[in-house]
Amino acid sequence: MGIESLLIFLIIGAIAGWLAGLIVSGFGFGLIGNIVVGIIGAFIAGWLFPRLGFAIGGGILAAIINATIGAVILLVLVKVLKRA
């Protein structure tokens, strides 16, 4: 993995985490937290979507959308577990 790929990976994670924080109210983690949430969300979406037969496509925009949906799923699960 080159430095450019790593940089794009981190930028996509940051954008996805930030968008998920806006969608799921009550969550704001700062830059590092957003990157972590976005990357974990990308892994969730990468695992879940193929099993559901769901695909958005390729490219950076699709990666951001996939990671955002995964991050929203993660934040909703955290919110539900926090209430329990």
Side-chain angles (χ1 to χ4, degrees), residues 3-21:
I3 190 74
E4 297 88 8
S5 298
L6 182 62
L7 186 61
I8 290 172
F9 190 69
L10 293 174
I11 290 170
I12 289 173
I15 292 170
W18 174 71
L19 287 172

Side-chain angles (χ1 to χ4, degrees), residues 43-78:
F43 282 116
I44 291 172
W47 176 81
L48 183 63
F49 288 173
R51 283 161 179 71
L52 297 175
F54 183 71
I56 292 178
I60 292 178
L61 184 60
I64 291 171
I65 293 169
N66 280 335
T68 302
I69 294 170
V72 167
I73 292 170
L74 174 67
L75 292 179
V76 167
L77 286 175
V78 167

Side-chain angles (χ1 to χ4, degrees), residues 4-43:
E4 297 88 8
S5 298
L6 182 62
L7 186 61
I8 290 172
F9 190 69
L10 293 174
I11 290 170
I12 289 173
I15 292 170
W18 174 71
L19 287 172
L22 291 177
I23 293 170
V24 180
S25 62
F27 285 95
F29 298 108
L31 180 62
I32 302 298
N34 285 342
I35 291 172
V36 171
V37 168
I39 290 172
I40 294 172
F43 282 116

